[in-house]
């Protein structure tokens, strides 16, 4: 048996480079090369010479710094609001799903996955029909004799669009972690006199922190860099960093400036992910508070 085991390991190590080659090629072509191109354009001028002029333009003068800080600040604020709302909605839903029976879990999972099968643009565009002045909500208010509300082209509409599109990415990792928790942990806590709330607060919540950290990352990262949601639901008055980058590339044809802003955004996202990783480090075998 040991000989067969060692032979299998030898074959696995022998063919590992061949098996990993497609994945490595994918990473090089679609991750490393695009990142290298962004870095190249960010640190060159319009003539292709190495220069920090783009960063000096973005950060050199006080009005430029204020404008850039405002755009980044709005993006972080909207993404943080969407992440908090997704967490407040997603954790109870994940807990209910994990504690439900198998058939109920399958039904709830199906309801959760169906919107994800639809095109992202269509899902976002459908909210225009719901929130517009003549949309579903205001038409219903009109039937009740109530005045119409300004729902579209507002910050609330942008956050709503983020929550709607990214809520499943909060629910799924938390649900996965809670569903894997052994029932014996809950039973042991109850045997020691813990109430249902105490079990949730001192056992389930600490042990589910890896899923919470993953969900926060998976919601915050796309929210902070989105641009389609803000364009369709926020109007021209709501500009996030994704909108500003798109303007540099498509409208102003300033590739170097857009690349520099993209690089700054990537650094902010990496810092955010590092912070979340520190909170989740060692939580795979999380303690019971």
């Amino acid at each position: 048996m040991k000989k067969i085991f060692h032979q299998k390991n030898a074959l696995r190590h022998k063919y590992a480079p061949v098996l990993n080659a497609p994945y490595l090629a994918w990473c090089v072509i679609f991750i490393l090369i695009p990142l290298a191109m962004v870095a190249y354009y960010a640190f060159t001028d319009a003539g292709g010479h190495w220069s920090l002029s783009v960063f000096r333009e973005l950060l050199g003068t006080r009005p430029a710094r204020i404008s850039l800080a405002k755009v980044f600040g709005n993006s972080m604020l909207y993404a943080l609001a969407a992440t908090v709302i997704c967490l407040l909605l997603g954790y109870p839903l994940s807990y209910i799903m994990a504690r439900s029976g198998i058939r109920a879990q399958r039904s709830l999972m199906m309801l959760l996955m169906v919107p994800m099968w639809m095109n992202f643009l269509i899902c976002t565009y459908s909210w225009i029909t719901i929130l517009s002045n003549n949309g579903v909500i205001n038409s219903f208010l009109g039937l009740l004799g109530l005045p119409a509300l300004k729902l579209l082209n507002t910050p609330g509409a942008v956050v709503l669009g983020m929550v709607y599109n990214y809520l499943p990415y909060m629910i799924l990792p938390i649900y996965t972690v809670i569903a894997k928790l052994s029932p014996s942990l809950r039973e042991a806590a109850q045997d020691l006199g813990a109430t249902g709330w105490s079990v949730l607060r001192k056992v389930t919540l600490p042990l589910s922190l890896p899923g919470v950290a993953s969900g926060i990352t998976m919601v915050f990262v796309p929210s902070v860099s989105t641009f389609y949601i803000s364009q369709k639901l926020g109007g021209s008055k709501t500009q996030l960093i994704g909108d500003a980058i798109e303007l540099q590339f498509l409208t102003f044809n300033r590739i170097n400036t857009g690349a520099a802003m993209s690089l700054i955004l990537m650094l902010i996202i990496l810092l955010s992910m590092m912070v979340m990783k520190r909170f989740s480090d060692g939580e795979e075998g999380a303690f019971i508070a």
Side-chain angles (χ1 to χ4, degrees):
M1 288 296 294
K2 289 184 178 180
K3 184 177 181 180
I4 296 175
F5 177 76
H6 288 304
Q7 288 177 346
K8 288 183 177 179
N9 278 340
L11 288 174
R12 189 180 298 114
H13 289 298
K14 180 180 179 180
Y15 293 104
V18 178
L19 297 175
N20 292 333
Y23 172 74
L24 294 175
W26 177 276
C27 291
V28 170
I29 296 173
F30 295 103
I31 298 178
L32 296 181
I33 292 178
L35 288 177
M37 293 177 63
V38 170
Y40 168 77
Y41 282 109
F43 290 102
T44 57
D45 55 20
H49 304 97
W50 292 98
S51 173
L52 296 176
S53 59
V54 178
F55 291 96
R56 283 195 293 266
E57 178 185 350
L58 291 174
L59 306 172
T61 63
R62 189 168 182 271
R65 289 197 302 268
I66 293 176
S67 177
L68 188 64
K70 183 179 179 180
V71 173
F72 272 99
N74 286 338
S75 301
M76 298 289 287
L77 183 62
Y78 282 53
L80 184 60
T83 303
V84 171
I85 294 173
C86 284
L87 180 58
L88 294 177
L89 294 175
Y91 196 94
L93 290 173
S94 302
Y95 183 80
I96 292 171
M97 286 178 60
R99 294 293 304 275
S100 301
I102 298 299
R103 294 184 62 182
Q105 287 188 32
R106 290 174 180 173
S107 301
L108 292 172
M109 184 63 69
M110 179 64 66
L111 293 174
L112 181 66
M113 297 298 295
V114 165
M116 299 179 66
W117 295 343
M118 298 174 61
N119 186 276
F120 174 84
L121 306 182
I122 295 176
C123 291
T124 303
Y125 203 84
S126 64
W127 279 102
I128 298 178
T129 305
I130 299 173
L131 301 176
S132 64
N133 294 334
N134 298 319
V136 175
I137 295 178
N138 281 322
S139 297
F140 178 74
L141 293 176
L143 293 175
L144 299 177
L146 299 175
L149 300 176
K150 176 66 175 177
L151 301 175
L152 194 61
N153 299 332
T154 61
V158 177
V159 174
L160 176 63
M162 292 178 180
V163 172
Y164 173 77
N165 283 288
Y166 302 131
L167 180 60
Y169 300 104
M170 179 67 74
I171 296 175
L172 291 176
I174 298 176
Y175 160 77
T176 301
V177 173
I178 296 178
K180 290 181 179 179
L181 296 180
S182 174
S184 61
L185 295 172
R186 184 173 62 255
E187 294 170 359
Q190 291 173 342
D191 290 340
L192 294 173
T195 62
W197 169 249
S198 297
V199 172
L200 174 63
R201 182 170 59 88
K202 295 185 177 182
V203 179
T204 305
L205 182 58
L207 291 174
S208 63
L209 288 182
V212 172
S214 298
I216 290 175
T217 303
M218 293 175 68
V219 172
F220 181 81
V221 170
S223 295
V224 77
S225 58
T226 188
F227 61 93
Y228 185 82
I229 295 175
S230 56
Q231 288 178 0
K232 295 303 179 182
L233 302 182
S236 58
K237 295 182 179 180
T238 304
Q239 187 182 64
L240 304 183
I241 185 59
D243 304 309
I245 294 173
E246 185 192 34
L247 285 175
Q248 298 298 327
F249 279 105
L250 299 183
T251 303
F252 302 137
N253 197 27
R254 301 174 63 182
I255 299 176
N256 303 89
T257 304
M261 296 175 69
S262 301
L263 190 62
I264 295 173
L265 177 60
M266 282 191 289
L267 291 176
I268 291 176
I269 291 175
L270 286 175
L271 289 175
S272 302
M273 294 177 68
M274 288 173 62
V275 171
M276 290 309 306
K277 187 176 185 302
R278 291 199 53 140
F279 278 104
S280 62
D281 274 347
E283 295 293 344
E284 291 297 335
F287 59 88
I288 298 178

